[in-house]
Amino acid sequence: MALADELRDDVLDRFLRYVRIDTQSDRDSDTYPSTAKQLNLSHLLVTELQELGLADAALTEYGYVFATLPGDPDGPTVGLLAHVDVSPDAPADGVQPQVHANYDGVSELVPGLAPDNSPLLAERKGHDIVTSDGTTLLGADDKAGVAEIMAAVAYLVRHGDVPHATTRIGFTVDEETGHGTDHFDLGEFGADFAYTFDGSEVGEIENETFSAVELKITFTGAFVHPGYAKGKLVNPIKLAAAFVDRLPKDTLSPETTEGMEGFVHPLTIRGDANSATVTIYLRDHDGDKLEEQDAFVRRLADEVAATDPRARVTFERWDQYRNMREKLDERPEVVEAALEATRRVGLEPRLMSIRGGTDGSRLTEMGLPTPNVFAGGNEFHSVREWASVQDMALAAATAVELLKTLAEPRWRTA
Ligand SMILES: [Zn+2]
């Protein structure tokens, strides 16, 4: 039996168990993790890892699950990572997963999800497709990755005679809020390099991400009772609106760019009579172009503030993550092993760049090279999210092949 076929039932079983647990994160929270309920899944994973015999499985102080699968003592220690939280951008409470067995390749599975608007679905004729009931997200991002890593570990525990690399397992929190690695202790994790299983289409290995900055731009004016405000009031809400209006409409925006083109994207606007703040995302694969965006956006804001001597503007910058490409290119064997493992499960691997970031972007920057491997989910962060069971099984098989590959002499120097 092909490896993926052998893993399929276990992956599905775990996936259905994990998606029912609400682990939605919250961008506006000040706690870490941002929501305590994420740990409901983390605690379950600790228990399941211990039951598999990974004696050191435990929750870290900040809510990460770390565990060791002992392997080849002479080769590299390899990290496998996935995040337990799901996106705040769609309802996530009470997920009711549905398995559509042997999909006919044409039917609408939940409202709005059909091959017309999700082309990959047509290619999944004959697969077993998992969706939510259409009222919540599914949580394949990234519980597909969690289930695949767990199934791969369970396989290697069952087949104790299969040589594989020493493996560190890490399940993180708060990836979706951009804080997935804030308290990730590389020394405590102790891997030489790692892989996130947080990608999408089977066969895709992502070695390049955006570089990302969040800029908070705050306008203040002059507050006066509006009934007696003639010649005195300067309204910060109007300043913020004028700034947003100056942003380019035909270029440099998410709705007009693709591929390697960057963008600036106003995410929120909040204000009252005293001040108004626009939070804007700056995104480009090229670090120099990102700095040009920063200067450009500040200039637009300064121009708006200059329209009235009583107006003020201040900036607060957060460097969110960096493109992982440059650092990964210094360690080509890390990506090469993922490509090789993908070939060994019978897929043609494709190197991809993401128009976004992963936990691996930050980890790579911090010194742990971490490309992103496909996990098989699609239409992330929406109620139309879906995953093919066969694709998830291929991703789990890729994890197994990766750990086997990295225990071979050729990779010892990695
Ligand atoms: Zn994800």
Side-chain angles (χ1 to χ4, degrees):
M1 184 161 37
L3 179 57
D5 293 333
E6 187 176 341
L7 291 162
R8 192 190 308 163
D9 288 348
D10 190 34
V11 172
L12 177 60
D13 204 49
R14 291 177 186 280
F15 182 67
L16 296 178
R17 186 157 68 243
Y18 304 157
V19 297
R20 286 193 170 92
I21 301 169
D22 178 6
T23 57
Q24 191 169 44
S25 47
D26 176 4
R27 286 192 193 91
D28 296 323
S29 164
D30 293 326
T31 63
Y32 201 91
S34 66
T35 53
K37 62 188 176 185
Q38 294 176 58
L39 300 181
N40 293 339
L41 177 53
S42 306
H43 284 298
L44 174 68
L45 293 168
V46 168
T47 304
E48 292 189 358
L49 286 164
Q50 285 172 345
E51 283 168 4
L52 285 170
L54 278 59
D56 69 346
L59 209 58
T60 72
E61 187 186 347
Y62 293 100
Y64 306 126
V65 178
F66 284 176
T68 310
L69 176 68
D72 175 16
D74 301 320
T77 297
V78 181
L80 297 185
L81 297 163
H83 63 91
V84 300
D85 67 314
V86 297
S87 170
D89 296 330
D93 180 22
V95 174
Q96 296 290 335
Q98 325 276 313
V99 182
H100 311 266
N102 193 14
Y103 178 55
D104 63 12
V106 292
S107 301
E108 183 175 65
L109 291 174
V110 297
L113 174 61
D116 291 349
N117 39 40
S118 196
L120 215 56
L121 202 51
E123 298 170 22
R124 296 301 182 266
K125 187 172 186 296
H127 284 217
D128 306 317
I129 309 292
V130 192
T131 66
S132 73
D133 63 4
T135 65
T136 66
L137 49 66
L138 174 62
D141 178 11
D142 183 27
K143 288 163 186 168
V146 175
E148 290 152 10
I149 291 171
M150 289 296 292
V153 169
Y155 173 91
L156 288 170
V157 167
R158 275 199 312 277
H159 300 264
D161 54 334
V162 174
H164 58 84
T166 300
T167 308
R168 284 286 278 167
I169 293 116
F171 296 125
T172 59
V173 290
D174 280 332
E175 192 270 352
E176 299 290 358
T177 64
H179 294 280
T181 55
D182 284 9
H183 300 281
F184 196 97
D185 185 332
L186 291 191
E188 186 184 1
F189 190 55
D192 295 304
F193 50 88
Y195 302 86
T196 49
F197 278 72
D198 193 16
S200 186
E201 192 176 339
V202 284
E204 292 183 353
I205 307 295
E206 293 163 329
N207 67 334
E208 180 155 30
T209 60
F210 272 147
S211 288
V213 163
E214 181 193 283
L215 204 57
K216 280 189 177 3
I217 304 174
T218 299
F219 295 93
T220 50
F223 177 62
V224 184
H225 185 294
Y228 309 94
K230 187 172 183 185
K232 296 176 188 157
L233 176 75
V234 181
N235 187 337
I237 294 172
K238 289 184 177 171
L239 296 171
F243 164 74
V244 173
D245 191 50
R246 285 179 191 227
L247 291 172
K249 292 171 182 67
D250 302 330
T251 59
L252 216 61
S253 56
E255 58 272 35
T256 59
T257 53
E258 61 184 349
M260 299 300 282
E261 300 167 317
F263 58 73
V264 303
H265 175 54
L267 185 75
T268 64
I269 176 162
R270 290 199 174 97
D272 56 25
N274 297 304
S275 72
T277 299
V278 181
T279 301
I280 189 161
Y281 278 177
L282 314 181
R283 297 288 187 265
D284 205 287
H285 293 95
D286 181 324
D288 292 338
K289 287 191 182 155
L290 191 71
E291 296 313 316
E292 287 170 21
Q293 288 181 1
D294 179 278
F296 169 67
V297 164
R298 286 179 197 242
R299 191 168 72 241
L300 293 183
D302 283 334
E303 282 170 15
V304 169
T307 57
D308 192 298
R310 294 162 298 175
R312 295 279 178 278
V313 62
T314 56
F315 304 93
E316 195 184 323
R317 172 172 161 144
W318 172 30
D319 285 85
Q320 294 173 287
Y321 54 85
R322 303 292 297 177
N323 187 349
M324 58 169 77
R325 177 70 185 269
E326 209 168 297
K327 287 239 162 73
L328 286 181
D329 281 350
E330 295 169 10
R331 300 281 303 275
E333 71 281 5
V334 175
V335 170
E336 185 48 48
L339 299 176
E340 175 63 20
T342 306
R343 280 182 213 109
R344 289 187 187 187
V345 301
L347 294 166
E348 187 53 50
R350 301 180 301 287
L351 270 182
M352 305 292 288
S353 84
I354 329 175
R355 292 173 62 75
T358 68
D359 277 345
S361 318
R362 282 282 296 134
L363 292 172
T364 302
E365 188 185 353
M366 287 156 65
L368 182 71
T370 309
N372 191 29
V373 178
F374 59 92
N378 300 275
E379 311 283 332
F380 288 168
H381 304 188
S382 84
V383 297
R384 299 174 310 282
E385 194 183 2
W386 63 274
S388 143
V389 179
Q390 284 76 5
D391 287 351
M392 290 193 286
L394 280 168
T398 302
V400 171
E401 290 295 351
L402 184 58
L403 298 176
K404 285 164 64 180
T405 301
L406 287 163
E408 293 167 7
R410 174 183 165 201
W411 304 93
R412 283 276 163 78
T413 52

